[in-house]
Amino acid sequence: MKVEIYSDIACPWCYIGKRRFEQALDRFPGKDAVEVVYRPYQLVPEASEQATPHRAWLAERYGPQSVAMDARVTELGRAEGITYDFDTALHANTFLGHRLLHLAETEYGAAVQGELKERLLKAHFSDGVDIGDRTQLAAVAVAAGLDGDRVAAYLAGDEGTDEVRAQLAEAQALGISAVPTFVFEGRWAVQGGQEADTFLRVLQQVAEETGALVPVAVADDGEACADGACAV
């Protein structure tokens, strides 16, 4: 079974969804036959590579509700073993990170890509790393198992740019407008950071080739990072 997870590095619900899906996968009898691949999505494609404080950016974009938004995901993340530090988090364009994830998948495989995804999320949300900075990104990639010289050369050029842009366009063509979105076998989609039990039921249903998926929560009225998903 192949599961493609569309998500953004700067999406807090993508971090929660990743953890919950992994919990479900650990309980799934067919775990060893499941391939998990991360696909790119950008919530703010126009964001600058020059980092700005997360708190200031979110307040400018969403106003007073931004404080409650951060508080909610912080509490939910704690239950999943995630430490969100929004006071030190930096807002920056995520395209370079998605390029690195593409490199990891194509040259190292899905397992290394998954490790890099975890480290990028932690770097961004917990460690205050500037994910728009090539040097800091390279350090995260090396820690995930990628070769330092290869990463430096890759980020210095434009390798992977066309491929990532094509994947971003594909996400739009599929109608994906909020993340995380989990696509099973290219046929069935589940949106949002669902509970682990829900993901387990979906894995079982897809394995049985029923396609009878339960309705899933979506973002309300375009509100960002609500009800388990982050929307544009």
Side-chain angles (χ1 to χ4, degrees):
M1 182 193 305
K2 185 172 186 176
V3 183
E4 296 171 281
I5 304 176
Y6 289 83
S7 67
D8 197 1
I9 300 161
C11 165
W13 273 106
C14 291
Y15 204 175
I16 291 172
K18 180 178 185 294
R19 286 293 173 83
R20 289 176 174 176
F21 178 76
E22 289 170 346
Q23 292 168 20
L25 194 57
D26 283 340
R27 295 160 53 193
F28 180 57
K31 173 184 177 180
D32 292 341
V34 178
E35 178 187 12
V36 179
V37 178
Y38 288 90
R39 300 300 185 203
Y41 191 93
Q42 286 196 284
L43 288 167
V44 190
E46 72 276 11
S48 171
E49 283 189 19
Q50 185 66 42
T52 57
H54 163 83
R55 292 283 199 193
W57 172 81
L58 201 69
E60 180 178 353
R61 190 175 178 98
Y62 299 112
Q65 67 176 328
S66 64
V67 175
M69 290 164 61
D70 279 350
R72 182 186 181 203
V73 293
T74 297
E75 181 180 357
L76 291 171
R78 189 177 298 115
E80 308 299 336
I82 298 170
T83 300
Y84 287 105
D85 187 351
F86 290 115
D87 289 329
T88 62
L90 299 170
H91 173 72
N93 196 290
T94 58
F95 190 79
L96 288 175
H98 287 303
R99 281 180 57 206
L100 275 181
L101 288 165
H102 175 72
L103 173 67
E105 181 205 354
T106 55
E107 296 191 9
Y108 294 84
V112 173
Q113 188 201 39
E115 176 66 18
L116 177 58
K117 180 72 171 186
E118 176 71 23
R119 289 180 179 271
L120 285 171
L121 289 166
K122 181 177 183 297
H124 174 62
F125 286 113
S126 305
D127 301 335
V129 170
D130 179 357
I131 57 174
D133 181 84
R134 286 168 171 77
T135 299
Q136 294 183 50
L137 274 177
V140 176
V142 170
L146 280 68
D147 177 75
D149 291 337
R150 176 70 178 115
V151 168
Y154 183 85
L155 289 177
D158 60 1
E159 285 185 80
T161 297
D162 290 343
E163 291 83 353
V164 172
R165 292 200 187 285
Q167 290 180 356
L168 289 167
E170 182 179 359
Q172 296 294 327
L174 289 172
I176 295 172
S177 60
V179 286
T181 293
F182 300 75
V183 179
F184 297 78
E185 286 292 284
R187 298 174 60 188
W188 304 293
V190 173
Q191 181 178 296
Q194 304 295 322
E195 296 292 340
D197 286 347
T198 299
F199 282 127
L200 180 58
R201 287 197 301 271
V202 174
L203 286 165
Q204 293 167 338
Q205 289 170 339
V206 174
E208 295 167 1
E209 299 184 353
T210 66
L213 303 188
V214 297
V216 296
V218 296
D220 243 352
D221 301 323
E223 180 180 283
C225 301
D227 296 325
C230 291
V232 175

